[in-house]
Amino acid sequence: MGLPRLGNTAARRLFMDRHALLEQPSGPSKGADLLQLISRLGFVQLDSINTLARAHDVILYSRRPSYRPKHLTELYHGGGALFEHWTHDAAMIPLEFYPQWHLRFQRDEVLLRKRWRNWRRDGFEQQFETVLKHIRDHGVVSSSDLGKDEKKGSGGWWDWHPSKTALEYLWRTGALTVVGREGFQKRYDLTERVIEERLHAPPDPLAPAPTVDWLCNAALDRLGFATSGELAAFWDTARAAEARDWCRAAKARGEIEEIEVEAADGSLRKSFARPDTIAQAAELGAAPGRLRLLSPFDPMLRDRKRAERLFGFHYRIEVFTPAPKRIYGYYVFPLIEGQKMVGRIDMKADRAGDCLRVTALWPERRVTFSPARLKRLEAELERVARFAGLSQVRFADGWLREAL
């Protein structure tokens, strides 16, 4: 007898449900309701690129169209309900998860010290006590407040002076906490002045099992089904071997089972799931037919290989690709309609012209932008323009392309 099987349609619906995309895009978008949404997703990735709006804002908007960036700022700065740290990248994370990050702090302390030494962050370790004393004596700082007389690195992303590197290291390892941003520049304070004492108890570094158990359980709840590698990658803290051991033990306890998940091309992939997952997936209805814009960093698409398996949607962001070598564009937004990826669109906010400029849209193969679908697209772009504070949408000549 073979493994229980989750068909592709049911797998898509389940995955979208866990990412708050199966229901109608509506509902309250501030305060406790916004925090509940972020907790459901696990975290919201931060990104500085702002061709339309920042990635975290688009992620939240796509699920709650009444959302505006000030709602996240209020929750982060004023509510003390979120903290900023790393999963696979910088992210906003519910503060209730903070105790599970002590293992990350401990592991980053070793990893980053070695890695950044190798990257010649000259002198950053000698700045630890100086930076901590400055913050203790003078309060919250940004990197521009420190190291004015220090030599910076050799350009680009890593154009940091030693005090900036020390700030980042002390934040990544838990001594400092980011308490807000001005523009997109982080502001740091002592963790002991920011995070409640009840959240401060670090785990035994020699006994990480309780944290690994939380990480794997929480990842599985948000993915619906996953391989051990996907569980480890979700928060990017548990090691691959730890996730494999957790799956083996959880399966032996009857807490999870092995199933086969059907991909968009009909192939099957073994994954782990809760014993009632297939039955739950069978009860889920179809996704709403509304056409929606997604961020390139949307949690549903973050694992590009998983998105390609489930939805047959191959996506790579091209911001670091030289312009002549780009296939689509610098920052191209995926489009989803129902539970199907229907295209990708290259557009940006023209603040001077007070409009959303659409350069090109490429349908997915076997997707036709009929008059009805074009009407749904126009409605979504008008909503997106309002969200971005723009008054109109303008289309370039020849904007509707053929599938590549």
Side-chain angles (χ1 to χ4, degrees):
M1 185 175 179
L3 295 173
R5 182 171 298 180
L6 183 63
N8 183 249
T9 297
R12 290 190 194 196
R13 289 178 179 176
L14 177 66
F15 193 47
M16 290 181 66
D17 178 65
R18 298 298 170 91
H19 287 81
L21 287 170
L22 198 66
E23 62 247 37
Q24 289 288 345
S26 62
S29 61
K30 62 179 72 173
D33 295 296
L34 181 60
L35 178 60
Q36 183 180 38
L37 173 61
I38 296 171
S39 296
R40 180 176 174 183
L41 298 176
F43 59 88
V44 176
Q45 182 176 340
L46 296 167
D47 190 74
S48 62
I49 298 172
N50 193 9
T51 57
L52 170 69
R54 300 202 190 277
H56 42 284
D57 293 322
V58 177
I59 290 167
L60 297 170
Y61 161 80
S62 66
R63 292 154 173 83
R64 302 284 189 273
S66 63
Y67 168 82
R68 293 298 181 267
K70 65 179 181 179
H71 299 156
L72 185 64
T73 301
E74 290 166 358
L75 196 63
Y76 179 33
H77 290 195
L82 299 169
F83 73 102
E84 182 177 338
H85 213 267
W86 278 64
T87 55
H88 67 291
D89 211 322
M92 289 289 192
I93 306 160
L95 187 61
E96 64 179 303
F97 299 170
Y98 189 86
Q100 315 304 332
W101 256 251
H102 289 292
L103 182 63
R104 179 67 175 248
F105 300 155
Q106 291 170 350
R107 291 181 172 178
D108 277 357
E109 188 169 358
V110 177
L111 176 66
L112 296 183
R113 192 181 290 248
K114 179 180 179 181
R115 180 182 294 170
W116 289 359
R117 278 176 183 166
N118 291 341
W119 286 345
R120 301 185 62 80
R121 302 291 86 201
D122 294 336
F124 80 94
E125 292 164 288
Q126 285 70 47
Q127 296 300 318
F128 290 165
E129 288 306 317
T130 302
V131 166
L132 290 170
K133 184 178 187 305
H134 182 93
I135 297 173
R136 191 173 295 114
D137 294 343
H138 301 284
V140 176
V141 301
S142 64
S143 62
S144 61
D145 297 321
L146 301 174
K148 292 181 173 64
D149 299 324
E150 296 174 6
K151 183 180 178 180
K152 293 186 177 183
S154 56
W157 183 262
W158 285 98
D159 191 14
W160 290 1
H161 53 67
S163 290
K164 162 64 173 175
T165 309
L167 275 173
E168 286 289 303
Y169 180 88
L170 291 166
W171 166 55
R172 293 283 295 272
T173 57
L176 299 180
T177 294
V178 173
V179 294
R181 288 178 180 254
E182 291 181 355
F184 210 68
Q185 187 177 56
K186 293 191 285 287
R187 301 171 68 242
Y188 308 81
D189 200 355
L190 300 176
T191 294
E192 63 202 51
R193 296 201 294 225
V194 179
I195 304 297
E196 295 178 58
E197 188 174 353
R198 66 182 180 84
L199 302 175
H200 277 241
D204 180 350
L206 300 179
T211 300
V212 171
D213 182 63
W214 184 92
L215 293 167
C216 290
N217 272 305
L220 185 58
D221 288 342
R222 287 162 178 80
L223 293 171
F225 51 88
T227 64
S228 65
E230 289 168 340
L231 294 179
F234 186 86
W235 306 104
D236 197 28
T237 297
R239 294 167 177 151
E242 291 171 332
R244 285 195 300 270
D245 291 344
W246 182 87
C247 288
R248 190 179 303 113
K251 181 182 176 184
R253 294 191 298 266
E255 296 171 2
I256 63 174
E257 64 177 0
E258 200 169 18
I259 66 171
E260 290 182 324
V261 180
E262 183 184 17
D265 63 3
S267 62
L268 298 173
R269 181 180 174 86
K270 291 181 180 179
S271 293
F272 294 101
R274 307 286 186 199
D276 58 351
T277 295
I278 292 178
Q280 288 180 355
E283 296 176 359
L284 295 172
R290 176 164 160 172
L291 193 150
R292 277 191 271 185
L293 181 87
L294 297 180
S295 165
F297 300 103
D298 195 279
M300 198 186 79
L301 302 172
R302 177 179 69 85
D303 184 337
R304 308 295 194 207
K305 292 181 179 179
R306 183 181 178 100
E308 189 165 359
R309 284 196 304 272
L310 281 181
F311 296 91
F313 184 69
H314 178 84
Y315 182 85
R316 300 292 183 272
I317 194 161
E318 297 180 290
V319 294
F320 300 116
T321 303
K325 296 184 177 181
R326 290 176 191 149
I327 298 172
Y328 295 104
Y330 174 77
Y331 197 87
V332 174
F333 295 86
L335 294 170
I336 189 169
E337 185 180 48
Q339 56 206 37
K340 182 177 183 180
M341 304 304 300
V342 295
R344 61 199 82 199
I345 186 168
D346 183 11
M347 62 184 188
K348 65 179 181 180
D350 178 352
R351 301 291 175 188
D354 190 25
C355 66
L356 178 62
R357 291 196 179 276
V358 177
T359 302
L361 183 150
W362 295 268
E364 288 297 282
R365 292 177 182 176
R366 297 181 292 279
V367 172
T368 300
F369 270 73
S370 63
R373 182 168 278 142
L374 284 171
K375 187 174 181 179
R376 291 193 290 274
L377 172 68
E378 289 169 2
E380 173 67 355
L381 294 181
E382 288 172 2
R383 288 189 291 265
V384 169
R386 288 195 297 272
F387 164 67
L390 304 167
S391 65
Q392 58 185 314
V393 181
R394 291 183 179 174
F395 296 85
D397 292 340
W399 66 274
L400 185 55
R401 309 289 178 85
E402 294 184 358
L404 296 180

